[in-house]
Amino acid sequence: MQIRRQRRADPRPARQDGDFRRLWAGDAVSQLGSQITIFALPYMAVASLDASADQVGLLQALCTLPFLLVPLPAGVWLENRPGGPCSS
């Protein structure tokens, strides 16, 4: 039985790696856009459409609804398909 040696990690700091920097920059832009949307969507509903507090609350609830409804059927579909990542 042979024991394989693991390769050592690159000693350079992650901030010097170009791929990591692109990943970090893309994530930062995505997070900024998400935060602007969280603020701007209800603000525009109130400012432009004269939405009430109930309507703004419903709008916020509808914005989070896909995070609840999409993963459940997707998980069932992934678990039931043949040769999936969790099959033994």
Side-chain angles (χ1 to χ4, degrees), residues 25 37 45 52 58 72 76-77:
T37 301
S52 68
L58 181 62
L72 295 174
V76 170
W77 176 71

Side-chain angles (χ1 to χ4, degrees), residues 36-81:
I36 289 172
T37 301
I38 288 171
F39 170 75
L41 191 62
Y43 178 75
M44 291 304 294
V46 170
S48 299
L49 304 174
D50 296 323
S52 68
D54 293 336
Q55 291 170 332
V56 172
L58 181 62
L59 179 65
Q60 287 295 94
L62 290 175
C63 286
T64 60
L65 195 61
F67 294 105
L68 176 65
L69 296 180
V70 172
L72 295 174
V76 170
W77 176 71
L78 284 172
E79 285 293 324
N80 291 331
R81 71 179 194 166

